[in-house]
Amino acid sequence: MRKRSIKNIRINSEVQRELGNIIRGEVKDPRISPMTTVVATEVTPDLKYCRAYISVLGDEETAENTMAGLKSAVGYIRSRLAQSINLRNTPEITFVLDQSIEYGVRLTRLIDDVAAEIPEDKTPEESGAENEGGEEDEDGESED
């Protein structure tokens, strides 16, 4: 089975959905934040290993505690995954903290800050941008 085959894509989405359900509803570790999301999963074509990308809403301490809780519960999560999905092999799960959502929010905030600093009352013509066409230069002569 190739890495991007239809079967592998289906398995990835099913494992992602089931991991989300297990983490949200069945794991009772108090270190795991209730705002934990399984963003993506990558199951190897031989179904031996799975990398699960986890996003945690909150500060860094909350994310670290959640990752520690997930790593300690990985055996239970894997056994529940084996019960809910009928695969030839139940993959060994590795949890990876995915910070792309926080990164995107931070970039959006930076863009908004820069956009707020730019005065909105100036149009591009007023700000010194040159226009095409037969405008007069500084000497009053046409550039044609």
Side-chain angles (χ1 to χ4, degrees), residues 10-143:
R10 280 192 209 146
I11 290 172
N12 285 338
S13 64
E14 186 68 19
V15 168
Q16 177 182 351
R17 186 174 59 81
E18 286 300 322
L19 278 177
N21 291 338
I22 292 168
I23 291 170
R24 186 179 329 103
E26 299 180 25
V27 178
K28 302 296 182 201
D29 194 330
R31 295 177 288 181
I32 298 175
S33 169
M35 300 300 288
T36 301
T37 307
V38 180
V39 177
T41 57
E42 292 178 357
V43 179
T44 57
D46 62 356
L47 306 176
K48 299 268 186 190
Y49 302 99
C50 171
R51 183 175 291 144
Y53 295 94
I54 306 295
S55 176
V56 180
L57 187 64
D59 58 352
E60 286 185 32
E61 183 181 348
T62 305
E64 290 173 8
N65 289 339
T66 298
M67 293 307 290
L70 288 173
K71 286 179 183 173
S72 69
V74 72
Y76 173 76
I77 293 170
R78 185 176 182 207
S79 68
R80 294 296 298 152
L81 186 66
Q83 291 173 0
S84 62
I85 298 179
N86 185 16
L87 292 175
R88 183 176 51 233
N89 296 316
T90 302
E92 290 182 28
I93 304 167
T94 304
F95 292 107
V96 179
L97 184 62
D98 182 31
Q99 297 178 331
S100 62
I101 295 173
E102 289 100 21
Y103 181 74
V105 168
R106 189 173 66 85
L107 280 181
T108 303
R109 191 174 301 129
L110 289 172
I111 290 170
D112 290 343
D113 291 345
V114 169
E117 291 176 4
I118 297 173
E120 294 181 18
D121 57 351
K122 284 191 173 184
T123 59
E125 293 84 24
E126 295 173 356
S127 64
E130 294 184 18
N131 289 334
E132 302 265 336
E135 294 184 6
E136 296 181 358
D137 62 4
E138 296 169 0
D139 297 333
E141 297 177 4
S142 179
E143 295 182 11

